[in-house]
Amino acid sequence: MESSPPAVPGEPMRFRGNASDWLIAWHSADAMLAGTSNGAAGICVAGGRLVLISPDNVHWGFPAGRPEGDETPAETLRRELHEEACVEVLSARLLGFARSECVGGRLHGTVLVRSYWRAEVRIGPWEPEHEIRHRRIVPVEEAIQVVRDPDHVASRISHRALTEAGLVRVAD
């Protein structure tokens, strides 16, 4: 399967989901973005290994989720990584944001912002909760070949996050 190229920072990509049309773009960690928090996603690194999750054993990606109550993005990150990947966050560095703006359909006008982090983690015993049923631990060198989201735009965002985490080199 051919790899999706990383998203180009600031370049909107069209996506159709939730009966709506969206423009989704990657933004740097220092961007000041307006919108509703759509949670946090973490690239889990343990030594030279990457921890990935999957609900279906076909699409592999990063643990992520929405905030509960008044959680900060960093608190959401720690909770979601523990719940979905059974890892403990030792340290985390903000990589950037995916900003999704609904431009047509039932959610028109909605703006969602998800933070992406590189998290150094300790891998715990696999005790899956909620919707996640599969965990895979791969060498970081295999990340770009293994990370596959259900749609092309999400894969491009994930591949940009891998690039910002220093796990993938962008071709010149």
Side-chain angles (χ1 to χ4, degrees), residues 17 30 48 57 65 71 79-80 82 84 87 97 136 138 150 152 165:
D30 60 356
N57 208 22
E71 280 182 331
R79 179 182 51 76
E80 288 290 344
H82 175 73
E84 293 191 351
V87 299
F97 302 93
R136 186 173 178 185
V138 300
H152 181 67

Side-chain angles (χ1 to χ4, degrees), residues 37 49 53 56 66 69 100 102 107 115 126 129 163 167:
S37 175
R49 301 175 299 161
I53 60 164
D56 58 12
R66 294 178 182 87
S100 303
C102 184
L107 298 174
S115 59
W126 181 232
E129 297 180 26
T163 301
L167 303 178

Side-chain angles (χ1 to χ4, degrees), residues 9-10 25-33 38-43 62 73 77 92-99 112-118 157-158 160-166:
W26 176 268
H27 297 274
S28 68
D30 60 356
M32 300 298 287
L33 301 174
N38 195 30
I43 298 175
F62 316 129
L77 176 78
R93 176 174 58 89
L94 180 62
L95 302 171
F97 302 93
R99 181 181 185 273
L112 302 174
V113 178
R114 175 160 285 185
S115 59
Y116 283 76
W117 304 73
R118 176 178 170 149
I157 293 291
S158 292
R160 172 51 56 186
L162 286 167
T163 301
E164 296 297 328

Side-chain angles (χ1 to χ4, degrees), residues 121-156:
V121 301
R122 178 178 300 123
I123 301 171
W126 181 232
E127 297 171 354
E129 297 180 26
H130 310 295
E131 71 279 5
I132 303 304
R133 292 287 161 239
H134 308 279
R135 176 175 80 175
R136 186 173 178 185
I137 302 169
V138 300
V140 294
E141 297 81 19
E142 295 178 16
I144 200 72
Q145 288 84 25
V146 177
V147 172
R148 290 286 175 275
D149 293 288
D151 66 81
H152 181 67
V153 170
S155 288
R156 291 192 66 197

Side-chain angles (χ1 to χ4, degrees), residues 58-94:
V58 174
H59 301 99
W60 292 93
F62 316 129
R66 294 178 182 87
E68 292 182 357
D70 60 354
E71 280 182 331
T72 67
E75 290 168 337
T76 300
L77 176 78
R78 289 178 184 282
R79 179 182 51 76
E80 288 290 344
L81 271 56
H82 175 73
E83 288 177 1
E84 293 191 351
C86 300
V87 299
E88 175 189 355
V89 176
L90 304 174
S91 65
R93 176 174 58 89
L94 180 62

